[in-house]
Every structure is written in C-alpha cells, then in structure tokens.
Amino acid sequence: LVTSIATSSLLAQSGESLFTNYCAGCHHSVVGVNESGGEQTNVYEAPYAKTVIEKLKTETKTKEAFVAFVKDYIDEPTKRKSLYGKKAIKNFGLMPSLKGAMSDEESTKLAEYMYSDYNKKKIAEKIVPSKTTETLTPSEKANESLFAKHCASCHTTVVGVDESGGKLTNVYDAPYAKDVMSKLKDETKTKEAFIAFLKDYIDTPDKRKSLYGKKAIKDFGLMPSLKGVMTDEESTGLADYLYEKYTD
C-alpha cells in the first residue's frame, strides 16, 4: 500500500505540467510571427491561453464556475459552448476532446492552475522583438504606415500554417517580405540600386523583372502596380525604410 501511494505521488502531475502536456502546444507555443499593421505579434495554433483565460473569467465570474466550465469543455468541446465565434472555429478548428486523458482530480488541478497560477509563473515562451511605434521617428512612422497600407497584407500577414515535412512554417499571400528584401539585397549589391529597383518594380511590375521564378508567379500571381498611389518621395522613403528594416 505504501509503495502504491508513493508511486501515485510520483506519477501525479502538477497543474503546470498538465497544462504543458495538454494545452501549451496549441494555446501557448508560438508557431509564427504576424507583422501586419506595423507591429509584430505571435501566431498560435489556437486562441492564446492568456486571452482565453481572461475571457473565461469574465464570462464565469467565480473560480468555481471557471473550473466547472473548463472541466466540462475539455471533456466535451462543442461549438455552442465555445467562447469564440464561427470565424475563430473556422480558423483554428474545434479543439479535440481530452476525455479520458486525465483523471477528474487532474482536470480539476489543471483548471485551478489556469485560474490562479498561469500568469504568476509563465511557461517559457518565444519573445518576439519589436520596435514600438513610440520609438519610431516621424519619418519611420510615415514609412511604416506606407508599408502597412500597401505591402503588409500580402507580404507579412500570416494567412495560415504549413505543417508539411514535419515543420511548421507561416503561409503568406505573397513571398515573405524579409526573404524578398534579403534576395533583393543580394541581387542589387548597393542601397542605391536596391531603392532604384524597388521604386521601378512597384510602379511597373513585370515577370521579367521578378526575383522569383514562374512557379512563384503562378502560386502568388504578379503583384499589382502601385503607380500613382505614392509620390516619388514616398516611394523613396518606403524603399529606404525596407532596406534598413530588414537588415540581416
């Protein structure tokens, strides 16, 4: 009996361990970075844990109701119970049931950890470095706005995650901005040539000028012309900004 109790104690998992084993992979592990809107934000495979917990606390009001909801939902997740709308379920899917994966005691421990301790001792998470708008110069802010308005939606906004080959990679509507800038720097050699090429290309994009092959153009299409959308000064500022922003 003593041996049995000792073994059970050793096998018992803490709330944090249970969270790591059953929740963190989707709700806490960063799978990519979204740079749209001029800010870098982490991308997860499901709604971020901290946001979910805060939303659930608001909905349930008490710890007892919070714990009861979590235990019920992880056993039998349904669209009707979800805190999020159809768009989130369409983007992330409905979470799989964890029924039978934990004992009643363990699911209680997990829910209590989420309620009381999740924000006190956070599990290590990838930190995304970013330059906030407060630290940008007026010129940088203007160029950041141009990038956000004319480039970010295709070149930095994550539209999905590719899991092929056992590796998670972000999916965009066009070649990723950092890769494009790195490739263009290799091709043009100097900042002046970089700026000249970029200004010419966004005005009159052409398959013959493209840095990418037929497959990329077939997959993404040829970018639309931005001729007349910006002044010469603005397009120069944008190109200069991109050269400096994506420094290797």
Side-chain angles (χ1 to χ4, degrees), residues 222-239:
L222 192 64
M223 71 165 277
S225 170
L226 295 179
K227 193 169 187 175
V229 173
M230 289 178 278
T231 64
D232 183 71
E233 183 181 357
E234 286 176 329
S235 61
T236 300
L238 173 61

Side-chain angles (χ1 to χ4, degrees), residues 78-113:
T78 67
K79 292 179 181 179
R80 287 176 297 174
K81 296 176 188 174
S82 176
L83 298 174
Y84 293 85
K86 291 180 180 178
K87 187 175 185 296
I89 293 174
K90 182 180 179 182
N91 290 341
F92 298 115
L94 193 64
M95 71 165 276
S97 170
L98 294 178
K99 194 168 188 175
M102 289 176 276
S103 66
D104 183 71
E105 181 184 357
E106 286 176 327
S107 62
T108 300
K109 191 181 293 184
L110 169 62
E112 289 179 342
Y113 164 78

Side-chain angles (χ1 to χ4, degrees), residues 13 15 17-27 69-78 81 94-108 110-111 114:
Q13 296 187 65
S17 296
L18 290 164
F19 180 84
T20 300
N21 290 340
Y22 297 110
C23 313
C26 291
H27 292 282
F69 180 94
V70 170
K71 292 183 64 177
D72 174 64
Y73 190 80
I74 63 177
D75 260 10
E76 297 179 11
T78 67
K81 296 176 188 174
L94 193 64
M95 71 165 276
S97 170
L98 294 178
K99 194 168 188 175
M102 289 176 276
S103 66
D104 183 71
E105 181 184 357
E106 286 176 327
S107 62
T108 300
L110 169 62
M114 290 168 64

Side-chain angles (χ1 to χ4, degrees), residues 52-64:
V52 174
I53 291 168
E54 288 175 351
K55 189 174 179 69
L56 183 53
K57 282 183 176 180
T58 302
E59 293 288 327
T60 54
K61 311 299 183 188
T62 68
K63 181 177 179 178
E64 291 71 21

